[in-house]
Amino acid sequence: MEQSRMPGADKFDASRAEEYARQSRIALAGYDACHELGACVLATCLEQTAQPRVLVTGVGGGAQEIITLAGLLPACRFVAVDPSAPMLALAREQLSARGLLGCCELLPGTVDELPAAARFDAATLIGVLHHVPGDRAKRQLLASIATRLEPGAPLVLAGNHQAYAEQPFLLKVWAQRWRQQGATPEEVKVKLGTILQGADPPRSEAQVQQLLDDSGFGPAQRFFSSLFWGAWVTSRRAD
């Protein structure tokens, strides 16, 4: 697969990748809990599937989607894509340290570059959608995932889903979260600026559902939330 770029991927360069593990756990209070619950959701959906094939979009960084689900369903096989080479390298390191590279195919690029005939029993899209600018690109990404899923196959979707500027109180709470972790006022300003740079989250949970409806998915059930963040499970429609 040739290296490609997904909208919003450029900001995950080497310098951003290096701080990803710490930053993500501060920016998202409950980072590990979200991934653990997401794995529990998928394990519940896949427990009758002998050797599930799981598509992981945006695996770069901690590869927590794979680590947590493999712990519950060791028979899973993963195809994981990410357009950022530094982030994909971090994921490879984490998986190698846990002896999980054998069950994974890690590919630089995007879902669109996977064979159109590829079929998966489940998929994850965690921490990605709010970095994709514009509803059209969001729908395209979701539709690309949907077309590669078996009918009825689950998708765990997680990310920010409110317009930051419309939630000034939550932004202040977010700033306190960074301060709570030892950041100075200037560092808080820089961190929030980095988080907000180029981000374009869906404006509401209703918009998340609309994007899913437009892309071939059914009703979504939320199973986790934290400030701006939400996590849902949905499934590819059979039609």
Side-chain angles (χ1 to χ4, degrees):
M1 180 182 297
E2 295 180 357
Q3 179 73 16
S4 71
R5 286 287 169 189
M6 181 177 70
D10 289 339
K11 56 185 168 179
F12 290 95
D13 57 13
S15 61
R16 183 84 177 265
E18 288 175 1
E19 65 174 353
Y20 175 82
R22 179 174 179 271
Q23 176 179 290
S24 59
R25 283 170 170 79
I26 297 174
L28 170 55
Y31 175 94
D32 291 308
C34 180
H35 283 83
E36 290 164 5
L37 286 174
C40 291
V41 166
L42 288 181
T44 301
C45 296
L46 297 172
E47 58 186 354
Q48 301 302 318
T49 305
Q51 193 175 70
R53 282 173 46 82
V54 179
L55 172 61
V56 180
T57 301
V59 68
Q64 286 296 114
E65 303 94 325
I66 295 174
I67 293 167
T68 50
L69 185 55
L72 286 174
L73 294 178
C76 278
R77 295 296 178 265
F78 301 90
V79 173
V81 298
D82 199 292
S84 167
M87 294 290 281
L88 196 64
L90 281 180
R92 186 178 298 277
E93 289 176 11
Q94 294 297 320
L95 294 168
S96 177
R98 291 164 175 80
L100 291 174
L101 281 179
C103 66
C104 305
E105 186 177 3
L106 301 180
L107 302 172
T110 66
V111 178
D112 279 339
E113 293 178 285
L114 295 174
R119 287 296 177 269
F120 297 91
D121 301 298
T124 66
L125 184 66
I126 298 179
V128 174
L129 200 63
H130 58 273
H131 292 297
V132 178
D135 287 354
R136 181 177 179 179
K138 290 178 175 65
R139 283 192 293 268
Q140 181 179 348
L141 173 57
L142 289 166
S144 294
I145 294 171
T147 59
R148 290 164 175 82
L149 286 175
E150 297 286 356
L155 165 70
V156 164
L157 168 67
N160 290 331
H161 67 292
Q162 300 181 62
Y164 301 127
E166 295 177 6
Q167 300 292 339
F169 177 75
L170 292 184
L171 279 176
K172 291 178 181 178
V173 173
W174 216 357
Q176 294 288 0
R177 168 72 176 164
W178 280 98
R179 194 172 71 84
Q180 184 182 59
Q181 302 301 312
T184 67
E186 282 304 312
E187 287 171 337
V188 168
K189 190 178 298 185
V190 170
K191 294 296 184 185
L192 287 179
T194 300
I195 290 171
L196 301 179
Q197 181 186 3
D200 182 25
R203 300 178 73 86
S204 66
E205 188 166 15
Q207 189 183 8
V208 171
Q209 183 61 67
Q210 187 62 60
L211 290 167
L212 291 169
D213 289 343
D214 294 343
S215 307
F217 290 98
Q221 181 171 1
R222 181 162 50 85
F223 63 85
F224 182 87
S225 63
S226 174
L227 290 182
F228 292 97
W229 188 274
W232 303 265
V233 60
T234 182
S235 59
R236 183 195 166 184
R237 290 198 302 265
D239 54 19

